[in-house]
Amino acid sequence: MDNQLYAVVGHPISHSKSPRIHSLFAAQTGEPVEYTAIQAPLDGFVRTVREFFARGGKGLNVTVPFKEQAWEMADQHTERARKAGAVNTLYQDSHGVLWGDNTDGAGLVTDLTINHGLELKDKRILILGAGGAVRGVIAPLLQTHPAELVIANRTAAKAEALARLFADDAWGITQLRGCGYEALTGAFDLIINGTSASLQGDLPPLADSLVGPDTVSYDMMYGPQLTPFSAWALNAGAATAQDGLGMLIEQAAEAFFVWRGVRPETGPVMVELRELVG
Ligand code: ATR
């Protein structure tokens, strides 16, 4: 069978690990997938997507800075994309309808619960940041039924607004609230960094008392070096510090499943990508 075309669209895109990940999934599953990276002009995302599907393309991943535009251009949204307010996976159905999905939150929760074996039910979870990256993972985190989910952000009002937006998803099971960093008290079981502060080598102002001996920290970023957040968590006494490479691979596996109906095994891909990233 001829290979079917998939791609990731972003700007910039040369750093993207997605072509490597999806090529490994294709080789492992025997699916006829050819996956490339496309850099869309900053003012030409919609045109790029239309051209791709007009050429017979089957599915796209969407990354920075186009996830909100992808949401806007999709004809239909999956429930999880609607909640996230952003789309990272696009595909056309047999009627030519353009569907927008979001696999980021599922990717994070799979990485936390399956790969790292964390039980989130009844736990105290803190998430740092209130931008698009955090919004995308709130509903899937709430589905694990933590006792508490606190969203903390430099601009407290944005965290409070996010908590209000997802109030119904807490089902009266999880205490969900938003606040500024100074209002945080007590130790958390899991602290997730969803801010972009690491990109500037920066760190939100966090008290060491947020970390206990069993605390797991998770930075949605990844790289060869410990991020400032992971270094802070370990220094404050966290049990382990995880990075977001697993989330990246799991969101890709979920997209592959959406497109192909086949779920790749992520373990071997994780090993290979870890060697690549350092
Ligand atoms: P993304 O799509 O990656 O979430 P975003 O929507 O621009 O990007 O959000 C960036 C997040 O990182 C925000 O929560 C931002 O805090 P503010 O809402 O107060 O701006 C947070 N952030 C960025 N740089 C930061 C820094 N140096 N210290 C603390 N928080 C930072």
Side-chain angles (χ1 to χ4, degrees):
M1 198 200 291
D2 281 350
N3 275 344
Q4 304 201 316
L5 277 186
Y6 296 84
V8 59
V9 187
H11 187 121
I13 203 63
S14 57
H15 65 282
S16 175
K17 307 272 180 299
S18 293
R20 180 101 191 112
I21 295 170
H22 282 278
S23 300
L24 290 168
F25 288 164
Q28 180 203 100
T29 58
E31 288 290 304
V33 164
E34 184 176 331
Y35 190 108
T36 59
I38 301 174
Q39 176 158 305
L42 286 173
D43 62 352
F45 172 71
V46 171
R47 190 176 71 237
T48 303
V49 171
R50 298 257 181 254
E51 279 169 9
F52 176 82
F53 284 106
R55 276 193 285 127
K58 294 292 173 201
L60 287 174
N61 282 135
V62 181
T63 186
V64 181
F66 299 128
K67 290 183 185 184
E68 281 82 15
Q69 278 187 61
W71 196 90
E72 280 160 25
M73 85 173 287
D75 302 316
Q76 295 282 345
H77 303 94
T78 61
E79 178 66 16
R80 59 190 181 179
R82 217 182 334 255
K83 292 242 147 83
V87 156
N88 80 336
T89 303
L90 286 166
Y91 56 94
Q92 263 180 343
D93 69 16
S94 54
H95 306 288
V97 173
L98 185 66
W99 277 86
D101 194 4
N102 192 313
T103 64
D104 286 330
L108 172 67
V109 170
T110 302
D111 194 38
L112 289 169
T113 59
I114 308 289
N115 300 338
H116 299 303
L118 296 178
E119 168 71 83
L120 302 182
K121 189 171 182 303
D122 300 330
K123 295 292 162 63
R124 280 196 95 205
I125 302 178
L126 169 62
I127 188 156
L128 312 174
V134 168
R135 179 172 169 179
V137 302
I138 299 289
L141 281 173
L142 288 170
Q143 279 163 14
T144 68
H145 297 166
E148 210 177 326
L149 179 58
V150 182
I151 306 166
N153 196 42
R154 182 171 60 183
T155 315
K158 277 167 71 181
E160 289 159 10
L162 262 194
R164 277 195 300 276
L165 189 64
F166 286 95
D168 287 349
D169 294 271
W171 292 107
I173 294 170
T174 303
Q175 255 193 59
L176 175 65
R177 67 187 174 91
C179 61
Y181 294 120
E182 70 295 336
L184 295 169
T185 51
F188 287 83
D189 298 296
L190 172 65
I191 307 179
I192 301 168
N193 181 27
T195 72
S196 53
S198 307
L199 290 178
Q200 307 127 42
D202 210 352
L203 177 70
L206 301 166
D208 287 359
S209 56
L210 300 172
V211 176
D214 298 325
T215 301
V216 172
S217 76
Y218 191 102
D219 200 327
M220 285 163 69
M221 304 263 165
Y222 62 87
Q225 274 108 35
L226 273 187
T227 63
F229 168 74
S230 296
W232 164 78
L234 289 174
N235 189 54
T240 56
Q242 310 293 349
D243 72 6
L245 186 65
M247 175 179 174
L248 175 78
I249 294 169
E250 293 299 343
Q251 65 74 29
E254 183 72 17
F256 194 92
F257 178 70
V258 166
W259 293 327
R260 308 297 309 173
V262 176
R263 197 171 281 286
E265 249 187 78
T266 51
V269 178
M270 201 84 76
V271 172
E272 193 149 331
L273 264 285
R274 183 61 74 189
E275 276 170 23
L276 215 70
V277 168

